[in-house]
Amino acid sequence: MIKKMAILNAFKLSFIALPVAVGLACASQPAQAALSQGTNAPDFTLRGALAGKPITFSLKSALTKGPVVLYFFPAAFTAGCTQEAHDFAAAAEQFQAQGATLVGITAGNTDRVSEFSKVECRDKFAVLADPGALTAILYHSVNTEHQTLLSQRTSYVIAPDGNILLSFTSNNPEQHVSETLESLKKWHASQVQK
């Protein structure tokens, strides 16, 4: 009888522990993979700042001027995000030479995007606030490893027709500039050949 009770209790414990363990494992993973190359980029309009001045950015409107390089980053004024902003700012003229609009989006420290656009982005490109990570969710670029939803470090290159030319996710901020520039150059070369 005691042996039977011990087996029953062990079964009950494993029945409770399994869903908890699965839930914890899922919570530490990003919600889902980023939107893939070849899909259409969801339209959005967000408020943000360029050179410290408030702006409203519409993807649809920006795409009428050429391709858009859209990069999601976790939070303004954190080490990796600051380095990534510096790298994008240093390459801003190269993006402009390819006819691209460069824009960063964050769900973290959204109250500081104005200051971040001026100080860390060096007045070179817009930074948009994504409260609640709603746009990041649309782009499947959400990092759920924290208490609050943050943007996953993901970059997209979007053609003027809304087609995603590049979808790149990496925690290494230094790779995002080279990957997006390379994709832009390939697209631009293909347009010249047409």
Side-chain angles (χ1 to χ4, degrees):
M1 180 71 164
I2 293 175
K3 190 174 184 181
K4 202 178 210 183
M5 291 284 285
I7 291 171
L8 185 58
N9 284 339
F11 176 74
K12 285 181 187 177
L13 185 58
S14 67
F15 183 73
I16 292 168
L18 181 61
V20 170
V22 169
L24 289 174
C26 291
S28 67
Q29 300 298 318
Q32 47 191 286
L35 292 178
S36 59
Q37 182 177 329
T39 61
N40 275 340
D43 190 27
F44 66 89
T45 300
L46 288 175
R47 293 178 187 230
L50 174 60
K53 296 178 180 141
I55 64 160
T56 299
F57 179 91
S58 158
L59 178 64
K60 184 177 181 178
S61 176
L63 288 172
T64 63
K65 301 170 194 162
V68 171
V69 174
L70 174 67
Y71 84 95
F72 288 90
F73 62 97
F77 294 105
T78 57
C81 298
T82 295
Q83 180 60 54
E84 187 174 27
H86 290 177
D87 293 346
F88 271 114
E93 289 179 10
Q94 295 178 62
F95 287 102
Q96 288 171 354
Q98 297 298 318
T101 300
L102 173 62
V103 63
I105 298 182
T106 187
N109 297 338
T110 56
D111 58 330
R112 299 187 70 193
V113 296
S114 178
E115 181 186 2
F116 193 73
S117 75
K118 188 161 190 54
V119 176
E120 306 302 356
C121 301
R122 302 182 174 149
D123 299 340
K124 300 285 187 179
F125 59 91
V127 179
L128 309 176
D130 185 19
L134 299 179
T135 303
I137 290 168
L138 274 178
Y139 278 77
H140 300 189
S141 299
V142 179
N143 185 329
T144 57
E145 294 178 1
H146 305 279
Q147 294 282 342
T148 58
L149 289 179
L150 293 176
S151 316
Q152 176 112 10
R153 194 177 306 284
T154 301
S155 295
Y156 294 96
V157 176
I158 306 168
D161 64 1
N163 184 45
I164 295 175
L165 302 171
L166 173 76
S167 173
F168 178 73
T169 301
S170 172
N171 285 331
N172 182 347
E174 295 172 11
Q175 290 181 289
H176 288 262
V177 171
S178 60
E179 292 287 334
T180 53
L181 265 176
E182 183 64 28
S183 176
L184 259 180
K185 288 176 182 176
K186 284 180 184 174
W187 176 82
H188 196 265
S190 74
Q191 298 305 300
V192 171
Q193 291 175 357
K194 285 184 179 180

